[in-house]
Amino acid sequence: RGLPDARSPYPSHRHTPMATAHAMSARCIAPRVSGVGGQRLARIPPQHTTTQEQKIRKLAPHSRRVGGARHGGACASSAGASDPTAASTAVAAAPLTEKDLVDYLRSGCKPKSAWRIGTEHEKFGYQLDNLKPIEYEAHVKLLLEALVERFNWEPMMEGGLIIGAKLDGQSVTLEPGGQFELSGAPLENLHLTCAEVHSHLYQVKTVAKELGVAFLGMGFQPKWAVEDTPVMPKGRYKIMKEYMPKRGTRGLDMMFRTCTIQVNLDFSSEEDMIRKFRTSLALQPIATALFANSPFADGKPSGMKSLRSDVWTDTDPDRTGTLAWVYEDGFGFEAYTKYVLDVPMYFVYRDGIYHDVTGQSFRTFMEGKLPDFPDERPTLDDWEQHLTTCFPEVRLKRYMEMRGADGGPWSQICALPAVWVGLLYDEQALADAEALVSDWTSEEREYLRTAVTKDGLQTPFRDGTVQSVAIDMVRISKEGLIRRRCNEENFVDGLMEMATSGKTSADRLLDLYENEWAGDIDNIYKKLTY
């Protein structure tokens, strides 16, 4: 799936990395039988649709799923849920019940042969002449239009403005401060994922150079304040910008100054989901330490290894946190549904407009008693959108999102999905990972969540440090990747080197800042530009 025309940098399609990876995928995984991740039901032929999926379709015949994988970073949900900008006024076939919402999550179960990998990454755009964040009219709009005109992407519009683009199950979208995001298509293996990123970066860099801009791979904006950051013209961001300061002190930092890498993965059953959710949630702080790449703010060291992760601890207590109840008896699709129902709403999207309903209850919406929408009840499109406004470190939709990593360079974009695929897509690796965290207490999990943001791999834990846990985690993952027999195990070699040395990207950047750069943060733009 390289660039399909004469503008490809490769001699012919059959020589592209994507084509090579496709050939390899046929040797290491069963043929695709259904869509997953961001593509979901739209890719499932009618003859392969389960009874549950047929019911979901009847409940929401207007629903339009968009390919991709979203959401991992600040706020947007352009591909993980329905594309709201493509919907008209939503009219449900029948009022939704709580059981319908539970069944919606349950409909994500699929056989192992249908499991896929959906990878997302965000990056900071900046102007080459002054390093300031990119602006919508002068840069972002032109960049998106060029993707449409040159590379056959389909525009995503809101209020007459282009705010994203989509192509073959991928989507390019905007975070609040212009962070540029690729939500990748659900793919069979990690070679396809890395080739997809390569193709995307070629396209974006080609156009960006002409516009005098470039992109930086970090987890937190190293130089500029929120006040220096242009706001993208998306209705939901206006609502969130006004609401966030009411719930925490760092919501605007989260929106405008963070970037992440995320992977979205599948499960076969409710039991499989529970095992993967609990294990990956416990290990998210270890991933945060390994991928720590945000030690600066306002032009100087922040005192944190992962400032991006630290920001999330004071964003909005209603929709973030470690979800200690996940480890209690009774966790499953129903318990997660109840949790999301108790998260206050942000908006209702109707006729191209985001209506502010911040702080109101989705349960009230289901009763037809929202003050601004009397006697109107939600559809599954509304439920899909509401699911994206919860921000735990692992998030459940009809797939699971791993949300603990900082944004970073290309190698880390490939490594993040690799470490989780190795841990969660091989049965023995999952069992080994479960055993690794099985005796961790709720207090220890909460401690790790906050402590690693400051100390990274050097975080004290029990009789040692997080570094030893990270070594075990990467080792288990690599063994799982080897058993997949897709030649993917080398994707975690860089992580093992960091784990064994104890030096992550954040550690190395701090050393460069203090020594080689002599305290000049501008050098980071040369170091981490894609």
Side-chain angles (χ1 to χ4, degrees):
R1 286 165 38 107
L3 306 180
D5 58 20
R7 289 179 289 273
S8 170
Y10 306 105
S12 68
H13 177 72
R14 61 188 173 87
H15 295 303
T16 67
M18 192 68 83
T20 302
H22 268 305
M24 178 172 288
S25 72
R27 298 195 299 270
C28 67
I29 197 165
R32 171 175 286 183
V33 296
S34 67
V36 305
Q39 284 179 289
R40 303 192 300 280
L41 296 182
R43 291 293 184 96
I44 301 176
Q47 64 268 28
H48 291 147
T49 306
T50 67
T51 301
Q52 180 58 47
E53 288 158 350
Q54 291 170 352
K55 179 179 180 182
I56 292 293
R57 283 177 169 171
K58 290 178 181 177
L59 283 168
H62 59 280
S63 249
R64 181 173 180 268
R65 277 83 185 175
V66 181
R70 178 65 204 157
H71 157 73
C75 310
S77 179
S78 54
S82 312
D83 176 6
T85 62
S88 59
T89 299
V91 180
L96 292 178
T97 66
E98 188 170 317
K99 183 178 182 301
D100 293 327
L101 307 184
V102 174
D103 287 345
Y104 172 84
L105 296 178
R106 194 184 308 278
S107 70
C109 297
K110 50 184 62 68
K112 187 173 183 178
S113 60
W115 292 355
R116 297 293 181 267
I117 306 163
T119 305
E120 309 170 12
H121 78 273
E122 301 159 353
K123 46 199 170 290
F124 294 106
Y126 69 93
Q127 303 174 49
L128 288 169
D129 59 349
N130 56 23
L131 305 183
K132 290 183 178 181
I134 56 177
E135 300 174 358
Y136 177 77
E137 288 289 342
H139 311 110
V140 174
K141 176 184 175 182
L142 300 179
L143 181 52
L144 289 171
E145 289 176 344
L147 291 181
V148 172
E149 294 168 1
R150 299 187 195 182
F151 302 108
N152 299 321
W153 289 69
E154 180 183 348
M156 299 167 64
M157 310 296 292
E158 180 181 326
L161 299 174
I162 185 169
I163 48 88
K166 53 191 176 182
L167 175 70
D168 295 338
Q170 307 167 77
S171 66
V172 171
T173 52
L174 306 176
E175 291 298 298
Q179 303 97 312
F180 218 68
E181 177 189 352
L182 173 68
S183 295
L187 300 172
E188 290 93 340
N189 62 54
L190 296 165
H191 302 284
L192 292 171
T193 288
C194 214
E196 177 184 67
V197 173
H198 179 91
S199 177
H200 166 75
L201 289 177
Y202 162 74
Q203 295 179 23
V204 169
K205 288 168 64 176
T206 298
V207 179
K209 184 177 181 180
E210 299 168 8
L211 298 175
V213 302
F215 288 91
L216 182 71
M218 289 200 73
F220 195 88
Q221 166 58 252
K223 184 178 176 72
W224 304 102
V226 171
E227 294 75 18
D228 301 316
T229 308
V231 182
M232 295 299 105
K234 297 178 71 170
R236 62 183 286 156
Y237 296 157
K238 180 178 184 296
I239 293 171
M240 294 175 70
K241 183 181 180 183
E242 294 174 357
Y243 181 72
M244 281 289 181
K246 301 175 183 178
R247 301 301 301 137
T249 66
R250 315 191 58 189
L252 298 185
D253 280 333
M254 179 278 291
M255 291 180 65
F256 293 96
R257 299 210 286 175
T258 64
C259 282
T260 187
I261 306 168
Q262 174 185 306
V263 65
N264 303 328
L265 299 173
D266 290 307
F267 45 83
S268 61
S269 65
E270 184 167 33
E271 179 185 5
D272 187 47
M273 181 278 292
I274 293 170
R275 294 178 65 200
K276 289 175 176 174
F277 199 107
R278 287 173 170 168
T279 303
S280 60
L281 186 61
L283 288 172
Q284 285 304 317
I286 315 305
T288 298
L290 273 169
F291 287 87
N293 188 41
S294 53
F296 303 110
D298 304 314
K300 58 184 182 296
S302 66
M304 298 287 169
K305 299 288 181 69
S306 177
L307 182 56
R308 178 206 63 84
S309 183
D310 183 63
V311 160
W312 278 105
T313 65
D314 190 13
T315 293
D316 184 342
D318 292 329
R319 61 193 81 241
T320 61
T322 54
L323 309 187
W325 51 269
V326 164
Y327 298 92
E328 298 173 0
D329 292 342
F331 173 61
F333 294 128
E334 183 176 353
Y336 194 87
T337 297
K338 291 182 182 297
Y339 155 70
V340 177
L341 283 172
D342 289 333
V343 172
M345 296 177 67
Y346 278 151
F347 55 81
V348 172
Y349 185 85
R350 292 291 184 270
D351 294 325
I353 298 173
Y354 287 93
H355 299 269
D356 187 345
V357 294
T358 49
Q360 298 183 50
S361 166
F362 202 90
R363 295 182 189 274
T364 302
F365 195 10
M366 292 181 70
E367 295 168 359
K369 296 180 181 179
L370 275 188
D372 292 341
F373 293 87
D375 300 321
E376 184 170 339
R377 289 174 170 79
T379 68
L380 280 181
D381 278 324
D382 296 313
W383 177 238
E384 285 184 311
Q385 289 297 314
H386 187 54
L387 283 166
T388 71
T389 66
C390 304
F391 306 128
E393 292 294 278
V394 176
R395 182 164 60 187
L396 178 64
K397 293 192 269 191
R398 285 194 284 183
Y399 47 91
M400 294 170 51
E401 303 177 347
M402 308 292 115
R403 297 169 42 84
D406 284 355
W410 182 22
S411 61
Q412 292 191 15
I413 299 173
C414 300
L416 187 277
V419 72
W420 289 115
V421 167
L423 288 167
L424 303 181
Y425 273 13
D426 174 77
E427 179 60 31
Q428 182 59 55
L430 177 56
D432 291 343
E434 284 180 307
L436 181 64
V437 303
S438 61
D439 64 344
W440 292 5
T441 66
S442 178
E443 292 76 16
E444 286 176 323
R445 290 191 294 267
E446 184 64 34
Y447 159 75
L448 287 172
R449 168 66 186 90
T450 56
V452 297
T453 65
K454 180 178 183 295
D455 294 322
L457 292 177
Q458 288 75 45
T459 302
F461 184 62
R462 295 188 171 180
D463 296 330
T465 66
V466 162
Q467 180 181 359
S468 62
V469 183
I471 292 171
D472 286 339
M473 175 177 167
V474 179
R475 174 186 55 78
I476 293 169
S477 173
K478 182 159 187 170
E479 292 169 353
L481 292 172
I482 291 171
R483 284 188 290 268
R484 272 171 57 85
R485 295 185 297 175
C486 294
N487 296 318
E488 300 166 317
E489 55 271 19
N490 290 341
F491 285 113
V492 296
D493 284 348
L495 294 181
M496 183 58 82
E497 189 277 328
M498 284 194 291
T500 54
S501 70
K503 291 187 176 296
T504 64
S505 178
D507 295 301
R508 293 185 170 111
L509 290 172
L510 288 167
D511 182 67
L512 286 169
Y513 176 86
E514 296 292 345
N515 296 294
E516 184 176 327
W517 299 348
D520 184 358
I521 196 64
D522 290 358
N523 286 282
I524 205 166
Y525 290 87
K526 301 174 184 176
K527 178 69 174 177
L528 291 181
T529 291
Y530 290 102

